[in-house]
Amino acid sequence: MHVRDVGMAEATDLEIFERAAIEQRVLVSADTDFGTLLATYQATEPSLILLRKVATHRPLVQAELILANLAALEESLERGCVVVIDEARIRIRTLPILES
């Protein structure tokens, strides 16, 4: 992987994805494109928290929702997963995402 030295505001989804993997970070997004990248590359990192149907909430509400559930998600996030958080539930899918 190669990451251009650009500010994250100017980075493409792939550059953000690659940088998160290199820096062992967790992506937090409402953009399903990151899930597509994980599946396409059959990647085991970075982990992704995908906010579905909560994206219309203010950032503070989103942060509180993540923080309220972080302890229960921590081990899975460290191993590599996609966490989907929506209004009704939280789902965890282990990485890599393989075709069924």
Side-chain angles (χ1 to χ4, degrees):
M1 290 186 202
H2 175 69
V3 178
R4 291 185 302 148
D5 189 16
V6 297
M8 288 288 90
E10 302 163 0
T12 66
D13 285 352
L14 183 57
E15 289 168 332
I16 293 168
F17 174 85
E18 290 175 339
R19 186 162 180 181
I22 290 167
E23 295 180 1
Q24 297 180 321
R25 297 185 182 266
V26 174
L27 289 170
V28 177
S29 182
D31 185 347
T32 57
D33 289 349
F34 290 112
T36 300
L37 287 170
L38 285 165
T40 299
Y41 291 103
Q42 296 184 356
T44 57
E45 57 184 19
S47 285
L48 169 66
I49 297 175
L50 184 61
L51 300 168
R52 303 290 297 156
K53 300 178 186 173
V54 294
T56 58
H57 293 299
R58 295 175 313 185
L60 180 59
V61 174
Q62 294 173 348
E64 288 172 348
L65 181 61
I66 293 167
L67 290 173
N69 293 285
L70 195 55
L73 301 171
E74 184 177 9
E75 187 176 318
S76 295
L77 290 167
E78 287 177 356
R79 284 194 315 260
C81 70
V82 175
V83 174
V84 180
I85 299 176
D86 65 31
E87 296 284 343
R89 63 184 175 162
I90 296 175
R91 293 172 285 151
I92 300 172
R93 184 161 185 185
T94 303
L95 295 176
I97 299 171
L98 303 174
E99 291 183 26
S100 308

